[in-house]
Amino acid sequence: MTAVLNRLTADDDLFLKLHDLYGNALVNQLAWRFDESLDPAVLERFHAHLAHGFLARRVMTTSVPFARPWWVSAAVSEPLAYQEEPVDENGVLDWLFAQSRVEFDPITGRVWRLSAAPTTTGGTLLSLVTSHVSSDGGAVLYAVGDALRRLDAGDTPDIATSSGRLVGAIPATGLLRAHLTDALGRLRAAALSLRAAFVARDITEPERNPRPEEPRRLLPDTYSAADLVVEVDAAEWNSIATAHDGTANGLMVGVAVGILGRSGRIGDGSSVRVDIPHSMRGLDDPRANATTGLPISVPYRKGEHTDLRQVRTAVKQAARAYADPATTPALQHLQPIQQMLPRFVLGYFSRTAKAPECLCTNLGETGQSVATLAGVRASSVLMRPLLCTGETELFRRLEIGLNLSWSSDGHTVTLAITGADPDRFPTRTALRDHVTDELEAWGLRPRFWA
């Protein structure tokens, strides 16, 4: 009998290879702000449920050529990091960013860390940082939601009865046959992907703008991307979007394009490539990463608002195109071949690889499903990608631009914004100036986290 293994997807594989090249350059963060104090013992129990759940996974490899690595449950995890010293209100963003300083290892299963600290106002900050190798945003929310439910129910931490049951295990028999079957399947998939890519050879994606070489600031050798969290009344946000014949999602895209323009990253009349993550996660989906990206092209006109009607049309068209293999770009069809490439080959291609020019993630109200911990409801829930401190020249070479994550609890819109171009967003203050100008130009009144 052939064992059924939870194989790494093409996205898992890509993130794993990028981890080998760049280490923990990119992590995801789910963060909570509580106005009340949380009992450290409760946090320890929450941590124990996470350690037996969907996030607790490690990569297993095989020597069978072309057979994919697979996931099994991890027996180890980073311990709960509880800081005794209270965090001042003006240090919240710095504390949250500091939680990105962690060394993950997908092979051992150290791929997430839960951290907490009291605040000087009597509340609690809580951060869950995760490796993108082992989980996308949907996987994190699923794992946390399951852990919170089990915590409320008083369940004993257990892999077999929690979301951890989906991760996988080392089978007692049939492992070699499973690898040989997968290797043959990969070869067939590679052949089919070449045929599909040839058919789709004339289908193109929106192009990104090259990063302007000037001005080039005199900066230190290392750089921390400028990050902000800003809140806006949801009613105000929705009203402005409607007034411009757009959606809440479209207004996020419009704001992002405007910030890029104000920073000088793009020129007047340019068309910006905006990548919009779209979840493909299903019920009891065992995949670590189950997200695709919808690329759209958005024109920028200096001194004008982004056309939100055009954004809405572009998003719909991109969603239709990516739902049909016949209109999917050739590169997307080649993922089976990408997984077969050795890491040194990916390292060669990575020399010219570029990061997204503009990434806009709409989380909707999904964060509210994990807002309550042991009966205490968070005043704010935040999810965002975190770009860790790295070499300034690496940020320039990868041409990283602007990341926005949008979420709402129905009353307040929370935007997590990261400007990662060292010469356009050298400091948090510089980013804040551009964000303030853009939001106020739309008639929005921002409230910034300190």
Side-chain angles (χ1 to χ4, degrees), residues 110-414:
R110 295 184 181 274
V111 290
W112 59 276
R113 184 177 70 174
L114 186 68
S115 310
T119 65
T120 54
T121 56
T124 303
L125 296 175
L126 187 62
S127 163
L128 176 63
V129 173
T130 55
S131 167
H132 216 321
V133 178
S134 61
S135 55
D136 59 12
V140 172
L141 290 172
Y142 176 64
V144 171
D146 179 63
L148 291 175
R149 285 189 293 272
R150 293 180 64 81
L151 178 67
D152 289 341
D155 293 338
T156 300
D158 175 52
I159 292 174
T161 58
S162 72
S163 58
R165 72 188 186 282
L166 300 174
V167 174
I170 301 175
T173 60
L175 189 56
L176 178 59
R177 177 175 293 184
H179 291 326
L180 292 173
T181 300
D182 188 66
L184 291 173
R186 289 296 89 196
L187 290 171
R188 285 194 293 268
L192 292 173
S193 73
L194 285 172
R195 183 186 306 170
F198 179 78
V199 172
R201 64 191 181 280
D202 295 327
I203 298 172
T204 59
E205 291 185 336
E207 294 186 359
R208 68 192 310 284
N209 294 289
R211 179 183 180 275
E213 301 215 358
E214 298 294 336
R216 184 183 177 90
R217 297 175 183 267
L218 185 61
L219 297 171
D221 292 338
T222 59
Y223 169 70
S224 295
D227 65 322
L228 287 173
V229 179
V230 57
E231 295 179 347
V232 178
D233 288 341
E236 190 175 90
W237 184 277
N238 293 329
S239 176
I240 295 295
T242 301
H244 289 269
D245 199 19
T247 63
N249 184 65
L251 181 54
M252 171 184 59
V253 173
V255 165
V257 170
I259 295 170
L260 276 176
R262 290 177 186 277
S263 74
R265 172 63 185 258
I266 55 172
D268 186 20
S270 300
S271 288
V272 182
R273 172 172 168 144
V274 179
D275 288 279
I276 303 174
H278 177 66
S279 177
M280 307 294 287
R281 189 167 298 279
L283 182 65
D284 285 344
D285 195 324
R287 291 178 291 177
N289 287 278
T291 304
T292 189
L294 301 179
I296 64 172
S297 181
V298 182
Y300 167 70
R301 295 287 185 271
K302 185 176 181 179
E304 298 180 11
H305 291 131
T306 301
D307 187 337
L308 301 192
R309 181 186 299 178
Q310 188 177 44
V311 171
R312 181 170 57 184
T313 300
V315 172
K316 289 181 178 179
Q317 290 176 342
R320 285 197 296 267
Y322 271 66
D324 184 354
T327 52
T328 301
L331 190 61
Q332 296 294 320
H333 291 291
L334 295 176
Q335 287 185 336
I337 294 177
Q338 168 211 303
Q339 284 189 270
M340 297 169 69
L341 293 177
R343 288 170 192 177
F344 76 86
V345 174
L346 184 66
Y348 174 79
F349 285 118
S350 72
R351 297 174 191 172
T352 57
K354 304 300 178 185
E357 178 178 26
C358 185
L359 181 68
C360 290
T361 305
N362 188 337
L363 299 165
E365 296 189 14
T366 54
Q368 297 311 300
S369 64
V370 296
T372 303
L373 196 158
V376 182
R377 188 167 184 82
S379 57
S380 299
V381 180
L382 169 72
M383 179 174 275
R384 62 176 179 170
L386 265 182
L387 294 163
C388 305
T389 300
E391 296 178 3
T392 305
E393 286 304 317
L394 179 62
F395 281 90
R396 286 173 172 148
R397 179 169 65 79
L398 293 178
E399 300 189 3
I400 308 175
L402 189 73
N403 293 345
L404 268 74
S405 295
W406 188 102
S407 62
S408 175
D409 62 1
H411 302 286
T412 302
V413 166
T414 302

